[in-house]
Amino acid sequence: MKKLLKIAAISLLFLFVGFVIFSLFLIYNSLPKLKGKVTLGGLSADVEIIRDMWGVPHIFAQNEEDLFFALGYVHAQERMWQMELTRRAGYGRLSEVFGERALERDKFLRTLCLREAAQKDFEKLSPELKQLLLDYCRGINSWLNSRKLKWPPEFLILRYRPQDWSVQDVLIIKEIMALLLCMDYQSEIFRAKLVKKFGPERALQILEEGVVLPSNDTQEGEIPEWFLSPNFQGSNNWVLAGWRTETGKPLLANDPHLEISLPSIWYEIHLKCPSLNVIGVSLPGTPGVIIGHNEFIAWGMTNSGADVQDLYIEKLNSSQDSYLDKEGWKPLRKKEEMIRIRGRKEFEKIEVLWTERGPIVSPAVVSTPVPLSLRWTIYDGGRTLEAFYLLNKARTWDEFINALALFDVPSQSFVYADKEGNIGYYLSGSIPLRPKETALFPFPGWKEEGDWRGYIKEEERSKIYNPERGFIITANNKVISDDYPYYVSSSWLAPFREERIRELVLQKEKHTVETQKEIQNDILSKEAELFYPYISNINETDEETRAVLEMFKGWDYRLSTGSKAALYKVFMNIFHEEVFKDDIGEDFKTFDNIFGLRVAGLLRILSNPLSPWFDNKDTPNVETRDEIIRISLKRSYDWLKEQYGPVEKWDWTKINSIRFKHPLGEVPVLKFFNRGPYPVDGDANTVRVFFITQLKKDWGASYRQIIDLFDFEKSVCVISSGQSGHFLSRCYDDQIPLWLEGKYHPMLFNRDNIEANAAEILMLKSLPRE
């Protein structure tokens, strides 16, 4: 018997070892084929793909159909898991893979009806673009159908296979980006909550500049914390006219700020055929270049902050099948959603109700005592993908703005430059026309004044062309003049980054690519420059607090290594908490998350030392601004001493360390997918942005580019991690050191330079189409 047990144990051990070896073999064998030849059906001619040493594919095709096919194939090779996860999120189908833990997210996303928005987009596609999207999808599916056992590690771990890719899947990726960059409804809900809690007069003291209260009662609600937007959909871009550069031609810089993850949200790409030659970054799952340059023009984007979502309070009849509109009672459209959950036999059924304005989003998206519907520009459908296709081919300013006239959502601030020396700015997107007072808070749906009256017309859109000052800068600050006749937004971020970029631009008479690198990596805080005098000017008698103040002497406001930056940043966090947490209570985190970076909160009351917001209601004393500064300084010093010991060990870059997180890296045994933590400098208000939210999400410059219109070969860029989504690839994390150190790699555009820096060459050999 003992002998049999021993044999069984040895057999099990060999089986386990064999399983481990086989699994490791599968994972290693799942690395994509990047060199050699692959014969594929569906191509009309051979396609050459040269990957440079940074993993950037330069795709050379004979026509656009084959070019888009090859792009789909390349995206699938290196980012299929990322594409699949984003697609599932868009459709609200995460529970099929992750089980119960993803159910609330699926309910949230199904209620937002992104699928319906994608269908509206599909109906507006031109025949030409629809065919190119089909070609792109055929490229993805060609790779999918060739896998057999060679699936990326995430699919092997989760034990499932992705379905074929469709044009609707391309469009759902666009809707997910719209969702991430349009979170106005959260602001409406929390504004209403502040007004109800503190009354109109007091709430207006800390809300954004220019907020107008509606005449009706506002409706507060709760937002799921797991999907709270950090309200940091930020970015920098700027463009300099030729007379401000050493070459006499424009320079264009851009660094979009998004959540930092593994893999990066962006994928670098160069697309070349007789009718198209464009390089920059793409979104895996969608074709074309989003930010970059072609042979004639360059462009960059920042989130404009335009308000494109409105919540409406709805009155439903007793049977819950009709809603009150300005014209009387109207029937609700009902849509049943069936959510399949891994590990459960039965489906989860939810019902989504639609008004003519949009879906009723409570309680899945917003928990409120009365129904709220959401009107959002995506529900009208749009042609953003067609806009990017035409943008990739544009040669002039006129062609540039004609392309962007089709761009619907998410609204972006584009900067432009061309080889002829022209520069420009264009506010893109469908921006609804309605009174400001109906847009900032949930508004009764049955009142006519809350209706949208179309969108801002093309001829009235904000544009700038060759300004006399010789530069254009946007950094999520207010992008329209005070006399602009239409409401666009009240959610602008504080102008600290824009002010610093402007300051650095004006410091030099002539600029180069190198000076633009310095600007993109600048860590001087204009916020600190504003706040520090209030700190240093307090009359302090306490010896310990005086010693803390002495620490700031000689500080240059740079958020770099060392104790001064650490003390300032910890002080600001504690100061914000000391001012508002006693009043706002358990909602403080949400308040900080939504309003912390805007011209709101502290910025609105800072100049009034006797503002009642500075008084701590939990104490018998009446505190002033200076008293709260003293308390915050003492708390900051004590916290740093407790956490890090003596002053010489305080270091902002270590406190501010950033982590590159993979979606599966939350599981302890799968942490090998993650990278970091790495010490970083800067913060949310420096030009070089690194920002860790209260929701433990790390944000920063997801991509940096500097385009030289005199010589495109001098242009440089870097993404946050690497090109590949496979953790065993050399290009999974190879750009992290460059990104952390403020360095770049060349944007190779010339064939000779591409061949000189080639790392792998893959030939896609054609077979006749079926």
Side-chain angles (χ1 to χ4, degrees):
M1 186 66 181
K2 288 183 178 179
K3 187 175 181 180
L4 288 174
L5 289 174
K6 186 176 181 180
I7 292 171
I10 292 172
S11 299
L12 287 172
L13 178 62
F14 273 106
L15 283 171
F16 175 75
V17 171
F19 173 76
V20 170
I21 291 172
F22 181 67
S23 298
L24 291 174
F25 170 77
L26 285 179
I27 289 174
Y28 179 79
N29 206 37
S30 67
L31 279 163
K33 179 182 176 68
L34 304 182
K35 57 185 177 181
K37 297 178 182 179
V38 177
T39 301
L40 300 172
L43 288 171
S44 63
D46 295 350
V47 176
E48 184 180 21
I49 302 171
I50 304 176
R51 281 180 169 85
D52 62 32
M53 63 181 65
W54 300 280
V56 180
H58 303 264
I59 304 178
F60 297 91
Q62 301 302 310
N63 54 67
E64 290 186 12
E65 292 80 7
D66 288 348
L67 189 66
F68 275 61
F69 180 102
L71 176 57
Y73 189 88
V74 164
H75 274 167
Q77 274 190 306
E78 301 205 88
R79 298 292 188 91
M80 193 64 231
W81 160 250
Q82 178 186 39
M83 291 159 57
E84 167 71 0
L85 193 65
T86 310
R87 169 172 66 170
R88 283 192 172 275
Y91 290 130
R93 294 180 56 191
L94 294 169
S95 300
E96 294 177 10
V97 175
F98 298 105
E100 295 275 359
R101 64 189 301 176
L103 181 57
E104 291 307 310
R105 286 166 171 78
D106 280 349
K107 289 180 179 179
F108 176 99
L109 290 158
R110 297 271 183 121
T111 302
L112 283 174
C113 302
L114 302 186
R115 183 195 295 268
E116 285 74 9
Q119 181 58 35
K120 287 279 190 180
D121 284 357
F122 182 80
E123 293 166 3
K124 292 189 173 184
L125 287 176
S126 68
E128 180 186 18
L129 187 63
K130 189 177 292 185
Q131 181 56 53
L132 289 174
L133 294 183
L134 285 168
D135 292 325
Y136 174 75
C137 293
R138 287 191 305 106
I140 295 172
N141 295 331
S142 178
W143 181 86
L144 284 173
N145 296 328
S146 68
R147 287 305 80 211
K148 297 181 181 178
L149 294 177
K150 298 179 181 180
W151 293 99
E154 294 89 345
F155 293 109
L156 296 172
I157 291 168
L158 293 169
R159 295 178 292 110
Y160 87 99
R161 306 290 180 262
Q163 298 172 338
D164 279 1
W165 205 260
S166 70
V167 173
Q168 284 82 355
D169 299 334
V170 174
L171 298 169
I172 207 73
I173 302 286
K174 172 252 184 179
E175 310 305 351
I176 279 289
M177 288 306 298
L179 174 62
L180 293 175
L181 295 172
C182 306
M183 288 294 183
D184 310 306
Y185 79 88
Q186 295 187 0
S187 299
E188 289 190 32
I189 284 292
F190 206 74
R191 286 190 198 104
K193 195 165 194 175
L194 291 176
V195 169
K196 186 167 185 179
K197 187 179 182 80
F198 300 114
E201 183 178 349
R202 193 164 185 228
L204 283 175
Q205 294 170 3
I206 57 170
L207 290 176
E208 304 100 321
E209 289 182 336
V211 167
V212 178
L213 292 176
S215 57
N216 58 282
D217 291 336
T218 57
Q219 181 60 57
E220 62 172 324
E222 301 294 335
I223 306 162
E225 183 175 298
W226 65 265
F227 202 77
L228 264 177
S229 162
N231 273 269
F232 191 69
Q233 299 86 3
S235 306
N236 303 315
N237 66 21
W238 63 91
V239 60
L240 307 181
W243 64 268
R244 287 191 174 275
T245 74
E246 286 190 0
T247 66
K249 293 291 185 180
L251 290 167
L252 185 146
N254 188 198
D255 53 299
H257 308 150
L258 295 164
E259 187 175 353
I260 301 302
S261 61
L262 273 170
S264 167
I265 192 172
W266 301 112
Y267 184 81
E268 296 180 64
I269 198 72
H270 178 195
L271 304 172
K272 176 74 165 65
C273 73
S275 60
L276 182 64
N277 189 9
V278 62
I279 188 171
V281 285
S282 60
L283 278 174
T286 66
V289 168
I290 306 299
I291 302 169
H293 74 80
N294 60 27
E295 294 175 286
F296 308 96
I297 73 167
W299 66 93
M301 300 160 52
T302 66
N303 200 28
S304 73
D307 184 351
V308 297
Q309 294 175 329
D310 283 347
L311 288 171
Y312 291 91
I313 303 166
E314 301 292 354
K315 282 184 182 178
L316 305 187
N317 63 356
S318 57
S319 57
Q320 305 284 292
D321 59 7
S322 297
Y323 66 100
L324 184 62
D325 197 60
K326 60 184 180 297
E327 298 159 355
W329 291 96
K330 293 184 176 179
L332 285 162
R333 178 162 66 91
K334 297 184 179 182
K335 186 171 183 290
E336 188 175 81
E337 294 280 350
M338 304 293 288
I339 303 174
R340 185 164 65 86
I341 304 161
R342 190 172 192 171
R344 261 176 50 175
K345 290 183 179 180
E346 69 278 6
F347 285 73
E348 182 83 10
K349 184 172 71 173
I350 66 170
E351 187 176 63
V352 180
L353 305 176
W354 274 75
T355 71
E356 289 183 355
R357 286 175 283 277
I360 290 180
V361 294
S362 49
V365 177
V366 181
S367 178
T368 55
V370 300
L372 292 181
S373 65
L374 174 68
R375 179 143 199 202
W376 186 5
T377 51
I378 68 168
Y379 300 137
D380 292 338
R383 299 169 68 184
T384 292
L385 288 181
E386 193 157 359
F388 277 121
Y389 170 67
L390 295 174
L391 175 59
N392 284 191
K393 303 179 75 169
R395 296 168 173 242
T396 65
W397 169 253
D398 287 340
E399 290 182 5
F400 171 78
I401 62 174
N402 288 338
L404 292 183
L406 303 179
F407 190 106
D408 59 296
V409 71
S411 173
Q412 299 288 296
S413 287
F414 280 83
V415 292
Y416 164 95
D418 63 36
K419 293 285 286 184
E420 300 302 314
N422 302 299
I423 65 172
Y425 165 83
Y426 183 93
L427 175 61
S428 73
S430 299
I431 302 174
L433 293 167
R434 76 284 204 199
K436 180 191 286 191
E437 56 269 23
T438 71
L440 296 172
F441 297 85
F443 195 81
W446 56 92
K447 292 191 174 182
E448 186 174 358
E449 56 266 38
D451 285 351
W452 288 7
R453 304 187 304 276
Y455 296 114
I456 293 175
K457 295 178 180 178
E458 181 61 28
E459 59 270 20
E460 297 176 309
R461 193 178 293 277
S462 180
K463 306 183 193 79
I464 302 171
Y465 187 61
N466 288 333
E468 289 185 10
R469 62 181 180 270
F471 63 85
I472 302 168
I473 303 166
T474 80
N476 317 114
N477 53 299
K478 188 176 180 181
V479 295
I480 55 171
S481 62
D482 291 337
D483 60 355
Y484 190 68
Y486 304 112
Y487 166 69
V488 173
S489 179
S490 293
S491 302
W492 319 112
L493 299 192
F496 298 124
R497 285 183 283 117
E498 188 274 339
E499 289 173 357
R500 180 57 177 164
I501 295 166
R502 180 185 297 267
E503 186 174 76
L504 291 169
V505 165
L506 294 174
Q507 278 180 6
K508 291 184 182 293
E509 185 177 343
K510 299 291 183 180
H511 283 274
T512 65
V513 169
E514 292 304 314
T515 66
Q516 304 316 288
K517 291 180 183 178
E518 293 171 6
I519 296 175
Q520 279 192 337
N521 289 283
D522 184 80
I523 53 172
L524 185 143
S525 171
K526 297 297 286 186
E527 178 203 55
E529 200 174 67
L530 171 68
F531 274 84
Y532 178 65
Y534 294 98
I535 301 170
S536 61
N537 290 336
I538 62 171
N539 295 317
E540 188 49 58
T541 57
D542 177 72
E543 185 175 336
E544 190 175 46
T545 307
R546 281 205 309 270
V548 177
L549 286 170
E550 282 290 317
M551 290 178 57
F552 279 121
K553 285 196 173 178
W555 186 37
D556 58 5
Y557 308 125
R558 295 181 189 277
L559 298 181
S560 57
T561 57
S563 60
K564 292 180 172 62
L567 179 59
Y568 170 75
K569 286 302 301 179
V570 173
F571 163 79
M572 285 301 298
N573 289 335
I574 290 176
F575 184 38
H576 195 229
E577 181 182 296
E578 285 284 346
V579 174
F580 294 115
K581 194 169 184 179
D582 61 307
D583 293 289
I584 294 174
E586 62 183 11
D587 292 319
F588 171 73
K589 183 188 289 188
T590 306
F591 172 78
D592 180 58
N593 189 60
I594 293 178
F595 298 103
L597 295 175
R598 301 182 184 180
V599 184
L602 275 176
L603 287 178
R604 297 294 309 282
I605 64 170
L606 188 62
S607 60
N608 179 9
L610 301 179
S611 169
W613 288 99
F614 290 117
D615 178 38
N616 187 337
K617 69 177 186 179
D618 297 329
T619 69
N621 303 322
V622 177
E623 288 86 2
T624 64
R625 180 192 65 207
D626 288 359
E627 181 60 28
I628 295 299
I629 289 175
R630 291 188 189 94
I631 293 168
S632 301
L633 283 170
K634 180 69 166 60
R635 278 189 60 195
S636 304
Y637 180 86
D638 291 344
W639 184 87
L640 283 162
K641 191 173 180 180
E642 179 182 345
Q643 296 292 321
Y644 298 98
V647 172
E648 56 268 21
K649 292 188 176 181
W650 300 359
D651 187 342
W652 168 237
T653 64
K654 292 179 180 177
I655 298 172
N656 196 41
S657 60
I658 197 165
R659 291 165 176 81
F660 293 76
K661 300 172 186 175
H662 184 281
L664 297 187
E666 295 179 13
V667 180
V669 296
L670 300 178
K671 286 189 179 295
F672 58 82
F673 280 116
N674 299 336
R675 295 293 183 270
Y678 302 102
V680 290
D681 48 17
D683 75 351
N685 288 311
T686 54
V687 181
R688 176 176 163 93
V689 165
F690 291 109
F691 183 55
I692 302 169
T693 74
Q694 293 224 22
L695 306 174
K696 304 303 179 186
K697 295 181 179 180
D698 299 349
W699 288 64
S702 56
Y703 169 63
R704 299 187 186 107
Q705 75 168 19
I706 300 168
I707 309 298
D708 186 340
L709 276 295
F710 177 77
D711 182 0
F712 283 135
E713 294 303 304
K714 300 290 178 61
S715 302
V716 295
C717 69
V718 65
I719 57 174
S720 56
S721 51
Q723 285 284 88
S724 178
H726 198 299
F727 77 100
L728 292 178
S729 168
R730 68 175 179 86
C731 291
Y732 183 65
D733 55 6
D734 64 321
Q735 293 194 48
I736 290 178
L738 293 176
W739 185 79
L740 289 170
E741 296 167 20
K743 296 180 180 178
Y744 303 75
H745 69 78
M747 293 180 75
L748 303 175
F749 198 54
N750 178 279
R751 174 92 190 207
D752 291 340
N753 287 337
I754 293 166
E755 291 178 347
N757 289 278
E760 296 100 3
I761 300 176
L762 179 68
M763 292 296 300
L764 303 184
K765 305 294 289 184
S766 62
L767 281 175
R769 295 187 181 183
E770 297 178 0

